[in-house]
Amino acid sequence: MWIGIDDTDSPAGMCTTYIGAVLVQQLEHAGIRVVDTRLVRLNPNVIHKTRGNAAVCIEAVGDLEAAFELVAACVEEFAEFDDPQTNPGVAVSPTRPPPDFYYTALRDFCTVDGAVRVLESAGALYKGYKNRRGLIGATAAIASEFPDKTYELLAYRKREVCGTPRRVDAGSLFRADEETYPHTWDTVDRENGVVVCVPHTPDPVLFGIRGESPAWVRMARSFVRSEETACEQIYVTNQGTDAHLIAGSIGTLREGRSYLVGGRVTGSPKTGLGGHVSIILEDDGAEVRCMAYEPTKGFREVVRALLPGDIVMAAGSYKGGSLNLEKIGVVRPANAARVRPPRCRVCGKRMTSAGRGKGYKCRTCVERSHNPEVEQIERHIRPGWYEVPPSARRHLARPLARGVPLWEESLFQSIRECGTPPL
Ligand code: ATP
């Protein structure tokens, strides 16, 4: 059976993955064998999300009705029902629904009615609380498939200390990263000298270690020194896979979806109030503003190094008319040149314009010229991929430490060969 849970937390506390971890223990105690635990990230642009738009799926073998009773009781015990924005949903299905609903919830928007239709045709037992919105995430979780996957080990706090400052030794996290990177990632942000894997929100998560296999996340965890944990759970997840990205073109972007697009830089990068950096990309007559916000720190230098004429690929969410950058592929930097009036052959002074289309004249002699001085500018940006630092990374964004997915790399290559996006 496939068990889905979502929308149990609020900004004041709780976390759906914690309920998942508790449930794993309760199911096993009741003689229901757990075979898989999935942490499923959905569309990061959904406005109702509390934090990272996560849902949980537990695959198990045993009595369906007994499992449903346990799941509902567990959610009723732990979910933050008092928060008006918390609308839990639980589902237990004897069959796995087709993955279409998952892909829509991951890359687009769904309705509760749509979720109910999927659950009905799967023959699932389900329950939606309050406005039942959580059924969307619960259904997407049980319908999920991961063509690419990573792992996260989540360590949870004891109930009595929740809400107090977390005690995790930062040095031990840097050590864990040193010993296991690039097989684990986003434990710390070396470039900015900060810990990434310890949340600051009042939920039960103490820390989370992300990596390529259960063995690697366990190995990294073994270096971590911290307060005593209540329990720990390893989830298989779509985090760090770019599963949210749609191969798009600039003229067809839709609000609230995430894309990978190709285009040509027009105009110079601009640094606005608060240190946010923007560039305009153009393709086939359509333009989009791409934003590198202040929290992306050193990544903004990459964006600032772009020049008009550069051919790039940009990945990110399209929100409020801008593409919020997660990474950039520099496909072909433009040949940049500085063009200015030549020096006078007679007196050596720099000439001035003689008027539009009339070349240059020397103010001192009568000398004239039609050939400007062209100086090639050395480009410091090299073709390749550049990403935001771990501290600014979206859960679903694939770190470059994992390599670039084949479909992204083949788009990159075809743009390099054709000169323009082939979309
Ligand atoms: P946490 O990460 O701490 O578990 P959260 O960020 O996952 O919290 P939720 O409390 O689960 O946030 O709220 C997200 C809500 O949005 C859920 O009710 C979920 O069913 C719904 N939802 C998720 N994806 C979509 C989507 N693509 N379209 C419409 N609703 C969605």
Side-chain angles (χ1 to χ4, degrees):
M1 73 187 100
W2 285 264
I3 301 168
I5 323 166
D6 196 18
D7 207 339
T8 61
D9 53 5
S10 79
M14 201 29 63
C15 172
T16 305
T17 70
Y18 173 73
I19 295 185
V22 171
L23 201 53
V24 166
Q25 293 170 13
Q26 293 186 353
L27 290 165
E28 281 176 344
H29 189 71
I32 297 168
R33 191 165 59 87
V34 170
V35 290
D36 201 13
T37 48
R38 297 168 158 243
L39 162 50
V40 186
R41 296 282 176 187
L42 300 171
N43 187 343
N45 307 306
V46 159
I47 52 165
H48 307 294
K49 69 176 183 175
T50 311
R51 284 178 280 269
N53 203 4
V56 161
C57 172
I58 299 171
E59 199 178 329
V61 182
D63 185 83
L64 192 98
E65 279 171 20
F68 183 69
E69 267 175 37
L70 266 180
V71 178
C74 193
V75 166
E76 283 160 27
E77 181 182 350
F78 289 106
E80 293 270 322
F81 280 96
D82 293 342
D83 188 294
Q85 297 303 324
T86 302
N87 299 287
V90 298
V92 181
S93 179
T95 57
R96 188 175 185 162
D100 318 37
F101 190 84
Y102 159 67
Y103 283 113
T104 309
L106 174 69
R107 299 177 181 153
D108 212 312
F109 296 91
C110 302
T111 61
V112 173
D113 289 347
V116 167
R117 277 196 294 278
V118 171
L119 294 171
E120 287 289 340
S121 47
L125 299 175
Y126 61 92
K127 192 165 181 181
Y129 299 82
K130 296 163 72 180
N131 77 11
R132 310 199 301 163
R133 191 183 292 125
L135 283 176
I136 296 173
T139 307
I142 62 176
S144 65
E145 64 171 18
F146 297 165
D148 182 18
K149 62 188 178 198
T150 64
Y151 293 82
E152 179 159 8
L153 181 152
L154 281 153
Y156 299 99
R157 312 188 75 191
K158 297 193 164 226
R159 264 186 130 172
E160 59 273 19
V161 296
C162 281
T164 64
R166 290 172 172 86
R167 287 185 297 118
V168 186
D169 179 69
S172 72
L173 294 172
F174 276 87
R175 169 93 198 278
D177 179 73
E178 212 171 278
E179 299 286 343
T180 58
Y181 180 88
H183 306 290
T184 68
W185 51 85
D186 292 359
T187 302
V188 298
D189 179 342
R190 292 197 165 273
E191 198 183 311
N192 297 298
V194 291
V195 166
V196 177
C197 70
V198 179
H200 301 287
T201 42
D203 57 79
V205 175
L206 182 61
F207 59 82
I209 305 280
R210 297 174 177 194
E212 69 185 31
S213 70
W216 278 111
V217 294
R218 265 195 212 104
M219 155 95 103
R221 194 269 170 267
S222 70
F223 291 100
V224 182
R225 289 194 307 275
S226 71
E227 65 189 48
E228 207 179 316
T229 58
C231 62
E232 298 183 12
Q233 180 67 47
I234 295 180
Y235 282 100
V236 58
T237 168
N238 58 355
Q239 288 170 173
T241 63
D242 276 356
H244 60 316
L245 296 183
I246 303 165
S249 58
I250 291 172
T252 60
L253 304 182
R254 292 192 301 152
E255 179 73 15
R257 283 79 171 176
S258 306
Y259 294 95
L260 179 66
V261 298
R264 187 185 309 273
V265 176
T266 66
S268 301
K270 289 196 171 59
T271 302
L273 271 181
H276 311 307
V277 177
S278 65
I279 45 161
I280 307 290
L281 284 193
E282 180 272 333
D283 176 41
D284 209 12
E287 288 192 340
V288 65
R289 184 175 57 229
C290 299
M291 296 298 304
Y293 286 103
E294 190 281 333
T296 65
K297 304 289 177 200
F299 175 70
R300 293 171 302 162
E301 292 309 320
V302 175
V303 179
R304 281 195 191 104
L306 295 172
L307 286 179
D310 286 348
I311 306 289
V312 302
M313 301 194 71
S317 291
Y318 185 62
K319 278 179 90 174
S322 300
L323 198 72
N324 299 336
L325 291 172
E326 293 167 14
K327 70 178 165 192
I328 269 214
V330 177
V331 181
R332 200 187 305 143
N335 271 332
R338 187 182 295 125
V339 179
R340 51 183 182 166
R343 286 192 180 278
C344 172
R345 275 188 311 168
V346 180
C347 69
K349 288 211 173 107
R350 188 144 320 266
M351 298 171 115
T352 55
S353 170
R356 188 180 266 263
K358 292 190 183 140
Y360 305 95
K361 64 175 188 234
C362 180
R363 281 181 193 272
T364 324
C365 330
V366 285
E367 191 66 13
R368 283 186 169 260
S369 167
H370 280 280
N371 302 320
E373 190 179 286
V374 180
E375 185 195 341
Q376 288 300 320
I377 298 173
E378 198 198 333
R379 300 298 307 275
H380 296 293
I381 195 157
R382 299 269 162 263
W385 293 92
Y386 300 85
E387 65 184 348
V388 302
S391 52
R393 199 189 324 275
R394 277 249 156 106
H395 297 293
L396 280 159
R398 180 163 158 151
L400 292 181
R402 297 198 64 227
V404 174
L406 215 56
W407 71 272
E408 292 180 17
E409 194 52 36
S410 55
L411 267 180
F412 185 100
Q413 293 306 337
S414 53
I415 294 178
R416 205 167 66 118
E417 278 148 30
C418 311
T420 50
L423 298 162

